[in-house]
Amino acid sequence: MPSGDGWQGDVLRDLRGGAEQGAQGPGGQAYRASAPGRALPAQGTQAPDATPGGGAPRQAGYPYEGQEQRVGLPGGWLQKAGYQEQRQEQQAPPAYAPGPQPQSGPDSQPVVDEGGLAHALRSKPRHGESYAARAARALRRTLSSSAAREVAEITRTAAVLQQPVTTGRQIAVTSIRGGSGKSTVAALLGTTYAHYRHDPVLFLEADPALGSLPQRLGAESLRWTTSDIADIVKPDMSLLDVTGYLVQLPNNAWLLPASQGQIGVMLDSQAYERAVVALRRYFGVMVIDCETLPTEVARVALAAAHGRVLTTPATPEGITSTFSVLQWMQGLPRHVIAGTVVVLTELVAHSGIDLDEAAQRLSSTGVSVQVLPYDRHLAAGGRVQTELLAHPTREAAARVAADVFQLSQQRH
């Protein structure tokens, strides 16, 4: 029979109903009674903080670093927070709220201020094409064999998008000027990969200058950024640990923003490289929304990526400028130009540009060229809702995704 001293005595007093709910344990920490031979922090007490300098969020039910590895060990001693606890039974502790994120981490910030200007300007989402256009397409599918051809095309596209990968594919999306639909194309590509593939997909934003990718993806709040976790993610961390720093999206997709919507946030090429190297082993596909060329981070991203997408507005100025950039890229290692897809984005419904001639001119440099047609839903801005996209837009997004993914699998 125990002598009544120490933690054995506390348990006996608890069993007799004589324990006080606010009893103090060693080091001044409050405890509550639990199963015999176990003392857990009382309600309202604070678990110790994570390791200084960052670290993955604690697994639910295990607020102490390393505790999850010790569950189920019979006997032994657990030293933490200045006290020792003898384990007498092989039983996982009851689940309770996980410990807080590291105190040194950033605070969460909303993507859209519900009471601000963005909320006041928000409009009802529109369908990508008019009702008349949708009705005409449905009639054509009924009276012709286009439905069978459409199914065959979708099957071929899915076969390309679902190819297995030995290492995570990095798809870099950039442009030579703003307003070309760069973030929109990145959102469409990543959403397509997440829809067709079973492995995790990561949207990585490498454009800290008030990029619009989080709004396009419908993220509600942001906390950790690309530069924040460049030195936090370690090779021995699990996917569950890593995703604790990311914004979860539908279909097993995740987002790592470049900023919290603040002007002046910097992302240098060294931090970008560390972040990509640390994260690439966890995701089958990484879609990287880069800065516009010729910034340093954009050049580094293009050189290191397996596939590249260069967006350009379907305007005379955009096409001419992009052709000059492609001529410059011809002087780079061959795999850069050979693994690049140029996307001509139509900003208006009827631009009057001969897109076939423009595509032929651009493809003469050795790149693949695709056209993203005008879509009322995309032109309105805000979150991309795939169910509201026009049918030609969905087809074009799938073609671009399959084209650049196929190029990323080849050795040039």
Side-chain angles (χ1 to χ4, degrees):
M1 193 72 180
S3 62
D5 297 330
W7 62 270
Q8 295 96 335
D10 293 338
V11 172
L12 291 175
R13 285 192 296 272
D14 292 342
L15 294 176
R16 298 190 187 104
E20 297 181 359
Q21 188 170 356
Q24 298 292 321
Q29 173 142 0
Y31 293 91
R32 58 179 173 85
S34 182
R38 189 183 304 275
L40 295 179
Q43 298 290 342
T45 59
Q46 190 79 0
D49 293 332
T51 305
R58 297 286 175 248
Q59 184 178 350
Y62 307 110
Y64 303 125
E65 179 185 5
Q67 185 178 358
E68 57 271 27
Q69 286 81 15
R70 302 185 184 184
V71 172
L73 293 179
W77 293 90
L78 175 64
Q79 297 183 359
K80 199 67 182 178
Y83 66 90
Q84 294 182 334
E85 176 186 10
Q86 186 175 10
R87 312 186 66 94
Q88 292 189 339
E89 60 183 0
Q90 188 171 350
Q91 177 183 354
Y96 53 99
Q101 292 272 358
Q103 291 184 352
S104 58
D107 297 327
S108 296
Q109 298 293 334
V111 174
V112 177
D113 186 2
E114 292 298 330
L117 180 62
H119 178 72
L121 297 177
R122 182 181 300 175
S123 59
K124 183 179 179 180
R126 304 177 65 190
H127 199 283
E129 55 185 345
S130 64
Y131 176 80
R134 283 176 279 162
R137 175 172 292 104
L139 181 61
R140 287 195 302 269
R141 294 181 71 237
T142 302
L143 300 178
S144 67
S145 60
S146 60
R149 292 195 300 268
E150 180 181 326
V151 171
E153 180 64 24
I154 292 176
T155 303
R156 288 193 296 268
T157 302
V160 174
L161 294 173
Q162 293 174 351
Q163 294 181 63
V165 296
T166 54
T167 57
R169 301 290 93 182
Q170 301 172 36
I171 309 296
V173 183
T174 188
S175 64
I176 62 173
R177 61 178 64 194
S180 65
K182 174 175 62 67
S183 296
T184 299
V185 171
L188 292 174
L189 290 180
T191 302
T192 302
Y193 294 131
H195 174 76
Y196 282 98
R197 299 189 61 82
H198 298 292
D199 44 16
V201 174
L202 175 65
F203 294 87
L204 191 147
E205 191 179 35
D207 184 2
L210 297 180
S212 60
L213 184 60
Q215 292 93 325
R216 281 309 215 180
L217 295 174
E220 296 181 357
S221 62
L222 307 175
R223 185 177 184 185
W224 301 93
T225 66
T226 303
S227 57
D228 288 334
I229 72 167
D231 297 316
I232 293 179
V233 177
K234 303 300 181 184
D236 58 344
M237 295 173 64
S238 67
L239 177 62
L240 182 62
D241 296 328
V242 173
T243 54
Y245 295 99
L246 309 177
V247 179
Q248 186 171 9
L249 301 171
N251 293 330
N252 203 22
W254 307 85
L255 166 67
L256 179 61
S259 70
Q260 293 182 325
Q262 300 173 351
I263 298 177
V265 177
M266 299 299 295
L267 175 65
D268 56 58
S269 59
Q270 289 79 16
Y272 167 80
E273 290 176 344
R274 293 196 303 272
V276 170
V277 169
L279 292 170
R280 63 187 179 185
R281 61 186 294 264
Y282 299 97
F283 300 92
V285 179
M286 294 174 56
V287 177
I288 304 168
D289 185 7
C290 305
E291 293 180 289
T292 56
L293 289 171
T295 59
E296 181 183 4
V297 174
R299 295 199 305 269
V300 171
L302 286 179
H306 301 97
R308 300 151 200 86
V309 175
L310 182 62
T311 62
T312 180
T315 61
E317 299 81 3
I319 295 172
T320 302
S321 301
T322 300
F323 183 73
S324 300
V325 171
L326 294 176
Q327 288 180 315
W328 166 76
M329 292 175 63
Q330 286 180 315
L332 300 176
R334 182 177 178 274
H335 73 276
V336 176
I337 194 76
T340 299
V341 176
V342 174
V343 178
L344 294 172
T345 58
E346 289 191 283
L347 304 180
V348 294
H350 304 288
S351 62
I353 301 294
D354 189 342
L355 295 179
D356 292 335
E357 182 180 354
Q360 184 178 2
R361 178 69 170 171
L362 295 174
S363 61
S364 65
T365 60
V367 299
S368 176
V369 181
Q370 299 283 351
V371 176
L372 183 66
Y374 173 77
D375 188 290
R376 297 190 309 178
H377 177 62
L378 295 179
R383 181 171 72 90
V384 175
Q385 303 181 42
T386 55
E387 66 275 10
L388 296 181
L389 292 175
H391 183 75
T393 304
R394 292 196 295 268
E395 288 185 329
R399 285 196 303 268
V400 175
D403 196 0
V404 68
F405 186 78
Q406 183 71 17
L407 292 175
S408 72
Q409 295 279 67
Q410 299 175 5
R411 294 182 179 271
H412 301 286

